[in-house]
Amino acid sequence: CILSDITERLLMEQEQKEIDEQLKLAATVFSASSEGILITDADHRIISVNPALEEITGYSAAEVVGQTPAIFKSGRHDKDHYLEMWNHIEAHGFWRGEIWNRRKNGEIFPEWLTITAVCDHSGAVKQYIGSFFDISERKKQQEHIEFLAHHDSLTGLPNRVLLDDRIRQAIAKSRRNQDHSAILFVDLDRFKLINDTLGHDFGDRLLACLAQRLPEMLRETETVSRLGGDEFVIVIPNLRKINRVAAIAQKIIDTIALPIVIDNHTLHVTPSIGISIFPDDGEDPPTLLRNADTAMYHAKDLGRNNYQFFTREMNLTVQERMTLENDLRDGLEKGEFVLHYQPQVHGINGQTTGVEALIRWHHPTRGLIVPDQFIPVAEETGLIVPIGEWVLREACQQARRWRDAGYSDLTMCVNLSARQFQSEALSEHIEKALSDSGLPPHSLELELTESILMVNPGNAVELLNRLATLGIRMAIDDFGTGYSSLSYLKLFPVHRLKIDQTFVRDLTVDTNDAAIVEAVIAMARSLKLEVIAEGVETEAQLQYLIQHGCTEIQGYYFSKPRPASELDACHFKFPCS
C-alpha cells in the first residue's frame, strides 16, 4: 500500500479553481459593463477593450488594439493637462476626472475617466486600466440648470441675476476706459390690457416676440434682459458719446411699435423708456437701475411712448408718487373721496337733462385734489377698480335721491376706466349698484372712451350689448381723439357721442376744429345717435353748436362741477338765480 499526502495539491487546485472563477467573473464584468474599459501594457499600447467602449466611441476592437489612447484625443486639452494627469498616476497609482474625447465620427464628447496602474509584486507597472462613461446628458442637464439660473424661462434673455453681473462688468470696463455705460429701463405701455382682453398666453407670446426683436438691433457686447412682467433692461457698455443712447432709445421705440400678428390678432404696443448713465446717475447696479426706473415713470407721466434721461428732480417726483399711492389707499379706506356733478343742459331752454359724476379727493393735508393729479396713479396701481366701484354706487344713490325729489328725467353719467371695463365682474357691480339704489337702468349712462372700446372690439360689443339689454345707456366720451373704426362704431349699442372739449375750445377761430365738430354732428345724425359737446365756456361756442344741430351742452358756460347740495339749490334750471 502506497500512501501520498495530497493536501497541498488539493489546496492548490482549490486556489486555482477560485482564481478561474474570479477571472471568469472579471471577464463577465469586463464584457457586460456599461462603462467603456480598455487595458494597455506598460508602454500605453492598447491590448484589450470591452464592447461598451466600442459602442461609446464607435471604434471596433480591431481598430484600437495596438494603438495608444491618443487615438481618442479631442484636441481640447493641452500638453500640460496630460502631463499633470500622468504625474498624478505615477505618484498615486490612479487618476480620476472629467476629460473630453473624440468618437470615430469626429464628435467630441465629455466622459468621466478613471485610470488605474496595475503593478507586479516588485512594484513595476505591468498594465493600465482605463474605465469611463459618457456624461454628455449630465453635462446638458447641468448646462440647462445653469442657463435657467441665469436666464428668463419665457424669453431666454438674461434674468436679474445675470443682469447684475453684466452691469458690474460694464461699470468695471467704463472705469478702466474712463468712459460711460448706460442703463435703459423699458416698460410696455398698457400691457395689462392685452393680458386682460386676450389672455396671458397672448401676452407671453408678445413678450417672446419682442425678446427676439430687441437683441437684433444691438451689438454683441450690449445686453437685453427681462426683469419680469413687461419690463426689459438694456445695458450699453463702453459708451463714448451720450447721444448714441438717445438714438438707441428711439430705435427701440420704433422697433417695438412695429405690428405683431398672433393668431390673426394684430397687436400694437408702445414703450416708455428711462435712461441712467454711469457714473453721472450712479456707481453701482442698484442705483443705476433705480434711477432708470424713475426716468421711465417720468416718460409715462409725459404721455408714454417716449424716452427720458434721469435727473435728480425725478427722484423727488417718484417719492411724491409713492406717497400719493399710499395716501390713495388710506383715502379709499377712510372715505375721503366725494363726487361733484356737472350739469348737461339743453342749450335752448336751459333745462338740465343729466349730470356727469366727477370724483374729487378731500386730502387731509393737501385739500381738494382734482382727478388729473391722482387718477393716473390709481390706474397704474389698480386702485381705480375699487374707486370706480365706489363712484358707481355713490352716483346711483345720488341719482335716486334726485329722482325721489321730483327730477325723474335726470340721467346720471358715470365714466368707466379701462381697468373697470376689462373686469369680468363689471356687469355684476353695475347691476348691484342699480339694485341697491333702486335707480332704473335707463337713468344710468356709462361713458367710455374710443381707446377703451378698440382694445378688443369683439369683447366690447358683447359686453355693451349685455349692458344695453339691461336698459343702460352708453356714450362714447372724448369722441374724435382716439382711434375708432366706423365699422365697429355701428355695432356698438351707443346712444350718444360726446364731442371732446379740445375741438370745442377753438371752435369759433379754428376752421379745422369747426370742420371736425360739424362732421361729428352730421355722423351722429346719420347714425341716429344723440350728440353732446363738452367744454363749452362762451356764448359764441354755444350758439355755433346750436346752429349746427348740437343742443346738448356741458361746460363752465352753465356750471362748473358742484357738490350735489349746490345743484339742488339751482333746481337744475339755467340761468340759475
Side-chain angles (χ1 to χ4, degrees):
C1 179
I2 301 172
L3 301 175
S4 298
D5 186 350
I6 62 173
T7 302
E8 184 176 348
R9 189 178 74 187
L10 290 174
L11 290 173
M12 290 177 63
E13 288 178 354
Q14 180 65 29
E15 183 179 346
Q16 184 60 48
K17 182 179 179 180
E18 291 177 357
I19 291 173
D20 289 344
E21 288 178 352
Q22 289 177 0
L23 289 174
K24 184 178 180 181
L25 178 62
T28 301
V29 172
F30 181 78
S31 299
S33 175
S34 60
E35 294 187 22
I37 301 174
L38 63 81
I39 302 173
T40 74
D41 59 19
D43 295 325
H44 302 172
R45 293 287 173 184
I46 298 174
I47 58 177
S48 181
V49 298
N50 73 339
L53 180 140
E54 295 179 288
E55 182 179 349
I56 294 172
T57 66
Y59 286 100
S60 67
E63 290 175 306
V64 297
V65 170
Q67 302 285 341
T68 69
I71 192 174
F72 305 119
K73 286 179 66 173
S74 66
R76 280 199 175 190
H77 307 290
D78 56 21
K79 292 182 179 180
D80 290 340
H81 175 82
Y82 293 107
L83 181 61
E84 182 181 347
M85 180 179 73
W86 286 107
N87 286 341
H88 192 279
I89 295 172
E90 185 176 340
H92 302 283
F94 76 95
W95 179 88
R96 184 180 295 113
E98 181 182 308
I99 192 169
W100 288 82
N101 273 337
R102 186 186 301 273
R103 308 186 206 273
K104 183 180 178 180
N105 63 9
E107 178 188 354
I108 296 174
F109 70 101
E111 65 182 44
W112 187 258
L113 173 65
T114 299
I115 301 176
T116 305
V118 180
C119 302
D120 59 17
H121 64 279
S122 66
V125 175
K126 293 182 61 178
Q127 296 168 334
Y128 293 99
I129 299 176
S131 62
F132 66 92
F133 54 90
D134 189 341
I135 59 172
S136 299
E137 288 303 316
R138 181 192 298 179
K139 293 284 287 184
K140 288 179 181 177
Q141 292 175 2
Q142 290 175 345
E143 291 171 358
H144 182 62
I145 292 172
E146 179 73 13
F147 181 86
L148 291 179
H150 295 91
H151 292 79
D152 172 54
S153 59
L154 174 64
T155 63
L157 296 176
N159 61 11
R160 188 181 293 271
V161 175
L162 187 53
L163 172 65
D164 183 81
D165 180 67
R166 297 285 174 86
I167 296 177
R168 293 185 187 279
Q169 290 182 29
I171 290 174
K173 290 179 182 178
S174 289
R175 284 195 174 117
R176 287 196 304 269
N177 300 333
Q178 296 184 339
D179 55 21
H180 298 81
S181 292
I183 307 298
L184 288 76
F185 200 109
V186 182
D187 185 271
L188 302 183
D189 299 327
R190 299 184 177 93
F191 178 73
K192 188 177 184 302
L193 284 176
I194 293 176
N195 279 339
D196 291 343
T197 55
L198 299 177
H200 287 271
D201 177 60
F202 270 82
D204 288 347
R205 291 162 69 183
L206 171 64
L207 293 173
C209 181
L210 292 178
Q212 292 179 340
R213 282 186 182 179
L214 291 175
E216 294 175 354
M217 49 166 289
L218 299 173
R219 298 173 180 174
E220 291 186 0
T221 57
E222 299 165 352
T223 299
V224 181
S225 169
R226 179 178 177 238
L227 290 188
D230 59 332
E231 296 177 338
F232 296 86
V233 173
I234 297 174
V235 182
I236 311 294
N238 302 125
L239 189 64
R240 298 191 178 279
K241 294 182 179 180
I242 304 297
N243 290 343
R244 181 169 175 265
V245 181
I248 292 174
Q250 187 57 53
K251 195 173 181 181
I252 292 171
I253 291 173
D254 296 339
T255 299
I256 292 178
L258 295 174
I260 298 174
V261 180
I262 300 176
D263 291 350
N264 297 322
H265 289 268
T266 301
L267 305 179
H268 297 269
V269 289
T270 60
S272 295
I273 304 174
I275 305 170
S276 63
I277 305 294
F278 169 86
D280 307 38
D281 302 326
E283 299 191 3
D284 58 79
T287 303
L288 288 167
L289 280 172
R290 185 172 60 250
N291 291 341
D293 189 22
T294 299
M296 181 273 294
Y297 275 108
H298 184 52
K300 285 189 178 295
D301 290 340
L302 294 177
R304 298 180 172 86
N305 197 28
N306 70 94
Y307 63 86
Q308 295 296 319
F309 285 84
F310 172 79
T311 63
R312 300 297 175 188
E313 292 75 15
M314 289 181 196
N315 254 333
L316 298 176
T317 301
V318 170
Q319 291 173 7
E320 183 178 350
R321 181 188 177 279
M322 291 177 63
T323 300
L324 187 63
E325 180 181 337
N326 292 331
D327 289 352
L328 266 175
R329 298 182 190 277
D330 290 341
L332 190 58
E333 292 178 4
K334 296 176 181 178
E336 295 173 357
F337 295 101
V338 296
L339 290 183
H340 285 191
Y341 301 91
Q342 187 171 38
Q344 296 176 342
V345 182
H346 191 283
I348 298 176
N349 61 29
Q351 187 68 42
T352 299
T353 57
V355 291
E356 180 180 1
L358 300 168
I359 192 170
R360 300 290 186 266
W361 181 10
H362 272 299
H363 193 279
T365 58
R366 303 186 187 187
L368 193 66
I369 303 179
V370 296
D372 289 348
Q373 297 177 19
F374 66 86
I375 289 297
V377 177
E379 285 273 9
E380 291 173 12
T381 59
L383 288 172
I384 193 65
V385 174
I387 290 175
E389 291 173 12
W390 175 85
V391 170
L392 188 62
R393 291 194 305 270
E394 180 65 23
C396 287
Q397 290 168 5
Q398 180 58 52
R400 181 65 204 191
R401 286 192 287 268
W402 278 327
R403 186 176 181 85
D404 292 342
Y407 305 110
S408 58
D409 295 332
L410 207 63
T411 300
M412 175 60 71
C413 303
V414 178
N415 293 279
L416 289 184
S417 71
R419 289 207 174 186
Q420 274 182 285
F421 193 67
Q422 306 309 324
S423 172
E424 295 180 357
L426 177 62
S427 295
E428 180 183 338
H429 292 151
I430 293 173
E431 290 184 57
K432 190 174 188 308
L434 291 171
S435 175
D436 290 348
S437 64
L439 184 70
H442 68 267
S443 294
L444 176 64
E445 181 172 279
L446 301 176
E447 295 189 3
L448 305 104
T449 64
E450 293 174 276
S451 299
I452 293 175
L453 294 173
M454 295 307 297
V455 169
N456 191 332
N459 285 356
V461 169
E462 181 181 346
L463 177 56
L464 292 182
N465 280 328
R466 190 160 63 246
L467 295 175
T469 301
L470 296 175
I472 298 169
R473 292 169 53 86
M474 253 76 68
I476 297 183
D477 194 11
D478 302 337
F479 189 79
T481 61
Y483 55 98
S484 62
S485 167
L486 295 181
S487 62
Y488 273 107
L489 181 59
K490 67 180 182 181
L491 297 179
F492 294 140
V494 173
H495 294 82
R496 65 174 170 175
L497 306 179
K498 199 170 189 180
I499 303 173
D500 188 69
Q501 59 185 332
T502 56
F503 303 125
V504 174
R505 184 179 302 117
D506 298 323
L507 176 65
T508 57
V509 294
D510 189 318
T511 55
N512 291 326
D513 285 344
I516 291 173
V517 169
E518 292 175 22
V520 173
I521 294 171
M523 182 174 64
R525 185 183 295 119
S526 64
L527 292 174
K528 296 181 173 56
L529 299 177
E530 300 171 17
V531 63
I532 180 172
E534 64 178 346
V536 177
E537 298 182 355
T538 67
E539 177 70 23
Q541 293 168 346
L542 172 65
Q543 294 304 323
Y544 187 98
L545 290 165
I546 292 175
Q547 289 171 11
H548 288 83
C550 177
T551 57
E552 295 294 322
I553 307 296
Q554 181 179 342
Y556 277 30
Y557 179 80
F558 288 108
S559 174
K560 65 179 182 180
R562 301 171 182 269
S565 58
E566 294 185 17
L567 285 179
D568 284 344
C570 248
H571 303 296
F572 298 110
K573 179 68 176 177
F574 297 92
C576 171
S577 57

